[in-house]
Amino acid sequence: MKQHPVFFEESEIYQEHFLGRDLRYPKLSIIETSSLCNLRCPMCPRTIDRSPSGSLFRNMKFELLERLETVFPKLDEVILSWIGEPLINKQLPEIIKFIKQFGPRVHVTTNAVLLTESRIHELIDSGLDSLAVSIDAADPETFAQIRVGTDLETVQNNVQLLNRIKKERGVDNPSIGIAFVAMAENIAELPEMVRLVAELETPSLSIDIVDDFTLTDDFRLDSQKTVGRQEEAREALRECIERAVLENVKLVFPSMRLFHELGEWPEGNPVDDRYFSMDYKPEQTAQMGFRKGCGVPWAHVVIGHDGNVHPCCISGTVLGNVYEQSFDEIWYGPTYTDFRRQLKSTDPPEECWNCRRTIWNGSRESSKLPSEIKVGQDEFYGLGWGPMAHDRFGRAFRPLDREATLFLAYGGEPVLTLELGPSKWVELEGTVYVNDQKLRQFKVFPGWHKLFFRLPRYSGSSVKVRIVTDTPKGQLIFKGASLRRLDRSLIEDRCKNLFWRTYNRIRVSLQGNPSSAETTES
């Protein structure tokens, strides 16, 4: 048998990072407050009795929250929606209040049919941070075909009622967004959806592609119908993007799959088609080193109404139950660890292999690990990174989610250089660790800056760099990192950085809060 190359993903330092002591608590938890629903949407797995949360439909018991009391303080966000309609659970306002006392942001996605005046007041009083309303068509007839059991006028009226009550009470929360699921039947209505969102005075429209919960032949046939209407769909997407600029509507695309299946990539962001294939054989992925680029089982957790813990929102796999074990025993336990280990391999679980939400990642041969990475060019990361974005000058960056890691080839270079900045016009403090040894703390001012760290000597051929944000409510953004030798170019960079650091400190003191730091000089 032909041997595949030696990939860095199989190294001890990489495996230990993703499967060992570096594993931290999830940042987000999806909790199913109800698996009941008042609609029968044809694209929903619940409608065809293939719900990943199980076939017994009921409301969550409050006792489940009490089992998670020690977990909530460690979370950033809780989403109280999964397969069912959360407003069916009459305890929802009390559930939100209970969770909010521990600190995380709380979000709900709803079909808005049950959004009455009294319920709106209860949701506002509960402290709910945000609410997404599912609207899958701008045309009433199309909407009725997709959202079976209600009509577009009812949903529009309820959203307008929510906005009116918020204005009367003088409150900002819950913030409201519209969620649109693109499929063959409705994708041509994307431009009209922007118009509708603007009319409803909601600031954002999230556009995702209909999910393959069931991996059935029927779904694949429906997906092919969408592909068969590509040109029409591409034109609708282009017009949607143009109209969103005019209407000041923010578009959110949770998945790259929509762009891939339409063959219409955002300018400057194409992705190799090889990474989207679901037809590879295990020996092919092993030879190429392809692994599914999914970080969900490390960052998120899904808990069903019955206490079952799932690795993600489209998985029926059960990794434990919070009524039978503590959350820590499940999260750090052998069942979860084995699932993560297989997902990180070139032969992931079948449900992950076929998942359309995530794509394959190319692997790095150990001998080709770089000593320098730049966002958008030659990236090789560990955990904790957000999606790539660009500042107004077109420079690519990635946000850190509290802390993040990266790997670099080490050949004795004594200086680590990081290009960082704050995401807002603020000062941020942080700490840098290399191979789990603390180097030192740092402070960054608005604008892009290079930070320089003197390294001790290491015996290995690679190093793990961990960047931690120490300032609450602040977010660092990252442009690049390198290991460098002491030479003239390094000295010149340090002098340039000193100038910009001083310049932006003066701007902070004189101008206060002009704009986002990611748009300033470097």
Side-chain angles (χ1 to χ4, degrees), residues 217-237:
D217 289 339
D218 286 346
F219 177 88
R220 298 191 192 287
L221 290 172
D222 189 64
S223 176
Q224 289 168 12
K225 284 196 301 182
T226 306
V227 173
R229 300 172 62 181
Q230 271 192 338
E231 187 51 48
E232 179 186 4
R234 282 196 291 263
E235 184 57 37
L237 179 60

Side-chain angles (χ1 to χ4, degrees), residues 48 50 211-223:
I48 57 174
R50 291 179 180 269
D211 237 325
D212 187 357
F213 277 90
T214 58
L215 307 176
T216 61
D217 289 339
D218 286 346
F219 177 88
R220 298 191 192 287
L221 290 172
D222 189 64
S223 176

Side-chain angles (χ1 to χ4, degrees), residues 473-493:
K473 299 182 180 180
Q475 188 177 50
L476 283 168
I477 53 178
F478 168 87
K479 192 165 67 168
S482 62
L483 293 176
R484 299 174 60 179
R485 298 188 180 280
L486 286 169
D487 56 21
R488 182 174 178 177
S489 66
L490 182 68
I491 296 171
E492 289 174 350
D493 276 353

Side-chain angles (χ1 to χ4, degrees), residues 161-342:
L161 177 63
L162 173 56
N163 270 327
R164 178 173 63 78
I165 292 174
K166 284 177 58 181
K167 289 177 182 177
E168 289 173 352
R169 295 188 52 172
V171 297
D172 295 325
N173 288 342
S175 61
I176 312 169
I178 304 299
F180 177 90
V181 178
M183 57 194 89
E185 292 79 5
N186 67 357
I187 198 162
E189 297 185 24
L190 278 173
E192 282 300 298
M193 280 300 304
V194 175
R195 176 197 57 75
L196 178 61
V197 168
E199 277 184 12
L200 293 174
E201 300 182 76
T202 50
S204 67
L205 172 63
S206 171
I207 305 170
D208 209 350
I209 196 163
V210 65
D211 237 325
D212 187 357
F213 277 90
T214 58
L215 307 176
T216 61
D217 289 339
D218 286 346
F219 177 88
R220 298 191 192 287
L221 290 172
D222 189 64
S223 176
Q224 289 168 12
K225 284 196 301 182
T226 306
V227 173
R229 300 172 62 181
Q230 271 192 338
E231 187 51 48
E232 179 186 4
R234 282 196 291 263
E235 184 57 37
L237 179 60
R238 293 179 200 131
E239 188 179 340
C240 166
I241 293 171
E242 291 172 2
R243 184 172 289 190
V245 174
L246 296 175
E247 299 281 6
N248 196 29
V249 171
K250 179 182 179 182
L251 297 181
V252 180
F253 298 97
S255 170
M256 291 187 293
R257 277 283 175 184
L258 174 68
F259 294 99
H260 175 255
E261 297 201 8
L262 298 188
E264 180 85 356
W265 286 100
E267 186 176 352
N269 287 305
V271 178
D272 194 317
D273 284 346
R274 293 179 307 152
Y275 297 136
F276 288 90
S277 174
M278 293 189 290
D279 296 326
Y280 291 122
K281 297 176 181 178
E283 55 266 28
Q284 292 176 293
T285 52
Q287 183 63 36
M288 295 184 292
F290 277 10
R291 291 166 168 81
K292 279 287 183 172
C294 179
V296 172
W298 286 264
H300 302 173
V301 65
V302 178
I303 303 174
H305 68 279
D306 52 5
N308 281 338
V309 176
H310 302 262
C312 79
C313 66
I314 63 172
S315 174
T317 297
V318 176
L319 302 173
N321 188 288
V322 296
Y323 287 119
E324 300 168 3
Q325 296 172 277
S326 72
F327 179 80
D328 285 26
E329 289 172 331
I330 298 170
W331 182 252
Y332 295 105
T335 305
Y336 229 131
T337 300
D338 289 345
F339 184 91
R340 295 186 185 104
R341 179 177 288 109
Q342 189 178 357

